[in-house]
Amino acid sequence: MGRSILAVVAGYFTMRIGIVLATLAAVFFMLADPTSTVPTPAYLAVNLGYSGFFAALGGYVAALVARQSEYRHALALAGTLIVVNAVAFVVSGGASQEGQPVWYPYVILAIGIGGIYLGAWFRVRQRSSAESAHVVEDL
């Protein structure tokens, strides 16, 4: 139970910290006025890309720390992401942030869920390959 909680927490913070740091860099390098609340289409595209990458990294870390039932832990991480986004949606009154297209919160959530699953899938494949290699070595 403790390892499962640790796996989900580690995956979530891996994802969140990566996204925050990448967002700071993207704002600095991509927006002419970093105080502007209106993102450019290029910024939004880059943001979607690195958010997917860090979601996959978070799913991978959750599966790695869990050591078993990787997809179940990825599902728990995705559930955590859904709850956090739902709370943010309710707190904001259902409004997207200024300058964001109305579709953006839904797409970023879908990318996050898909990325988490992809990261766990990659870890399962990696573990299966390693186990197969050990079987071959034992022969």
Side-chain angles (χ1 to χ4, degrees):
M1 177 76 154
R3 180 171 288 280
S4 293
I5 292 169
L6 179 63
V8 174
V9 169
Y12 182 79
F13 280 107
T14 297
M15 183 174 55
R16 184 59 61 201
I17 290 169
I19 290 171
V20 167
L21 293 176
T23 299
L24 290 173
V27 165
F28 182 78
F29 289 111
M30 296 190 72
L31 298 181
D33 179 11
T35 61
S36 172
T37 59
V38 180
T40 64
Y43 171 83
L44 289 174
V46 168
N47 180 269
L48 292 172
Y50 66 70
S51 294
F53 171 79
F54 285 112
L57 186 59
Y60 178 87
V61 167
L64 179 68
V65 172
R67 294 187 187 166
Q68 62 183 358
S69 303
E70 289 91 344
Y71 291 122
R72 201 172 287 173
H73 290 86
L75 181 62
L77 179 56
T80 302
L81 183 64
I82 291 168
V83 168
V84 167
N85 278 280
V87 168
F89 185 79
V90 169
V91 168
S92 71
S96 59
Q97 292 181 358
E98 185 180 344
Q100 286 182 345
V102 71
W103 52 263
Y104 182 80
Y106 307 104
V107 172
I108 197 85
L109 179 59
I111 287 172
I113 292 168
I116 289 167
Y117 178 82
L118 182 66
W121 173 83
F122 183 76
R123 175 59 191 149
V124 167
R125 273 187 58 109
Q126 185 183 44
R127 186 172 58 94
S128 296
S129 295
E131 288 172 357
S132 297
H134 288 297
V135 169
V136 171
E137 287 176 3
D138 292 340
L139 295 177

